[in-house]
């Protein structure tokens, strides 16, 4: 029997006294509706840690990760700025960065060769460099660095 998300949420009473407290209800661990609610309410609205600063100390260094079911690449641009991008080519929707970590001046989609700078800008495809049909200043995502 499938329950709606509201019914599943009501299985837990956060006002129970501590001596009557239970762990969260088991459906919260596997229900797709709860998963989606958690993704949108928690992960999509707050900063999430995906790595450590030492992974991207050098210009051009990068690593990949999955965050909230989305593939991302975190890279330090040639300007020293740390950025995160969705690891998806705008043209073919393939993973642009196929290595888990490394150092690169640009990233190239393995399907049709579309390239992106380590600052996230779309750079081109072979002979059409600089003439792509979308705004090249749009980045894939955002990143930030915490204090030391």
């Amino acid at each position: 029997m499938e329950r709606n998300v509201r019914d599943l949420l009501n299985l837990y009473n956060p006002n129970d006294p501590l001596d009557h407290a239970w762990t969260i209800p088991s459906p919260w661990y596997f229900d797709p509706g709860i998963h989606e609610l958690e993704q949108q309410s928690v992960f999509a609205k707050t900063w999430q840690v995906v790595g450590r600063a030492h992974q991207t100390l050098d210009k051009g260094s990068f690593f990949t990760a999955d965050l909230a079911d989305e593939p991302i690449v975190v890279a330090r641009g040639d300007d020293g700025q740390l950025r995160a991008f969705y690891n998806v080519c705008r043209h073919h929707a393939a993973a642009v960065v196929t290595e888990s970590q490394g150092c690169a001046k640009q990233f190239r989609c393995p399907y049709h060769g579309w390239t992106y700078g380590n600052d996230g800008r779309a750079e081109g495809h072979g002979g059409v460099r600089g003439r792509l049909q979308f705004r090249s200043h749009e980045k894939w995502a955002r990143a930030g660095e915490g204090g030391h």
Side-chain angles (χ1 to χ4, degrees):
M1 175 177 103
E2 197 168 312
R3 301 183 201 179
N4 69 39
V5 171
R6 177 65 47 211
D7 289 342
L8 292 173
L9 291 175
N10 287 333
L11 292 174
Y12 181 77
N13 183 357
N15 298 316
D16 278 346
L18 188 56
D19 61 346
H20 290 88
W22 293 84
T23 60
I24 63 173
S26 62
W28 287 21
Y29 290 103
F30 58 83
D31 182 81
I34 295 290
H35 175 75
E36 181 60 28
L37 178 64
E38 184 177 55
Q39 294 300 315
Q40 296 303 315
S41 301
V42 178
F43 296 105
K45 295 183 178 187
T46 60
W47 287 95
Q48 302 298 316
V49 175
V50 295
R52 300 178 58 91
H54 80 271
Q55 292 176 269
T56 56
L57 289 177
D58 300 323
K59 293 177 180 177
S61 59
F62 68 88
F63 66 90
T64 59
D66 285 327
L67 179 63
D69 298 327
E70 296 289 344
I72 63 169
V73 58
V74 178
R76 187 160 310 271
D78 290 336
D79 60 0
Q81 182 72 36
L82 183 67
R83 298 177 179 90
F85 319 111
Y86 292 110
N87 190 10
V88 177
C89 179
R90 290 180 170 191
H91 175 242
H92 195 274
V96 175
V97 182
T98 56
E99 301 85 16
S100 62
Q101 62 184 15
C103 189
K105 290 211 170 275
Q106 63 181 201
F107 305 113
R108 185 177 178 95
C109 177
Y111 279 93
H112 299 112
W114 286 45
T115 57
Y116 301 86
N118 59 20
D119 64 353
R121 290 180 184 269
E123 293 186 342
H125 170 284
V128 296
R129 186 174 184 84
R131 288 181 263 149
L132 300 178
Q133 297 301 310
F134 50 84
R135 294 177 291 220
S136 64
H137 66 279
E138 290 179 344
K139 304 290 193 279
W140 297 338
R142 300 185 321 154
E145 288 185 80
H148 297 273

